[in-house]
Amino acid sequence: MKKQFIIALLLAGGLWTSSCEKKASTDETATATEQNASEGSAPVAANDPVTNPNVTGQEAVNPNAPKPVMTFKETEFDFGDIKADKKVEHTFTFTNTGKAPLIIENASATCGCTVPEWPHEPVAPGGTGQIKVVFDPTGKSGQQSKQITITANTDPQINQVSIKTNITGAVPQAGADGPVRM
């Protein structure tokens, strides 16, 4: 019984000691933060990967860094009535109105009939870029609306543009009228 009591006492003492060390470490961080604040600089946490050069294996990211902003001249384009056998295209123009280079990671459409092309090089602040969208109406008829989703290093990270059209004069599919009689 005495052995169990001694083991429990040692375990409790060990836990108490480790919690005191953690508190002391927290107190040191708070003291460093207070010193930085009194010196007029921003508070710095000891485990902050942005300011702590001893933290490795982590990418330093500053959430307060300036971000690029993608501003479009238009976010929707209407082709009007088009024929079912003719591809159409439109180019959306945007300006980087932010304070950092804009990098488009991806641009995708809601279906394979709509194919976007985007600049793969960074767009400098104040610079302009273009996203060309080609729509293939083959096999479609009536009102169509397609969204193009652009993923970039902007805030917000997702931007969208859209196209719409009305497809007239649908081309009949082979065999749609039944067998051919002679």
Side-chain angles (χ1 to χ4, degrees):
M1 185 75 169
K2 284 184 180 182
K3 274 186 175 179
Q4 291 175 343
F5 178 74
I6 291 174
I7 291 173
L9 186 62
L10 289 173
L11 222 125
L15 290 173
W16 179 72
T17 304
S18 68
S19 69
C20 288
E21 288 174 0
K22 191 170 187 176
K23 175 150 178 41
S25 174
T26 305
D27 289 344
E28 290 169 11
T29 302
T31 304
T33 303
E34 289 169 8
Q35 286 175 348
N36 285 340
S38 67
E39 294 171 4
S41 61
V44 176
N47 60 354
D48 184 0
V50 174
T51 57
N52 186 350
N54 297 322
V55 177
T56 61
Q58 296 178 354
E59 183 178 327
V61 177
N62 184 353
N64 298 324
K67 298 260 187 184
V69 177
M70 187 178 262
T71 305
F72 285 91
K73 283 187 178 179
E74 61 184 344
T75 57
E76 185 177 294
F77 183 77
D78 187 351
F79 287 108
D81 292 343
I82 63 170
K83 299 280 184 194
D85 61 347
K86 185 177 180 193
K87 290 182 183 180
V88 292
E89 68 180 53
H90 178 71
T91 302
F92 290 95
T93 302
F94 65 89
T95 302
N96 178 1
T97 57
K99 297 183 189 263
L102 187 152
I103 300 169
I104 298 175
E105 297 168 17
N106 190 28
S108 60
T110 51
C111 80
C113 61
T114 307
V115 180
E117 294 177 17
W118 67 93
H120 294 281
E121 62 280 342
V123 177
T128 61
Q130 296 180 333
I131 297 177
K132 179 176 143 184
V133 179
V134 178
F135 175 69
D136 184 356
T138 303
K140 302 195 178 313
S141 64
Q143 296 286 328
Q144 299 289 316
S145 179
K146 305 297 177 190
Q147 295 249 330
I148 297 87
T149 302
I150 301 130
T151 307
N153 64 334
T154 55
D155 190 19
Q157 187 176 14
I158 303 292
N159 292 279
Q160 290 186 325
V161 293
S162 62
I163 58 169
K164 61 183 182 177
T165 188
N166 182 41
I167 302 169
T168 61
V171 178
Q173 300 290 329
D177 295 331
V180 176
R181 302 193 195 269
M182 294 195 174

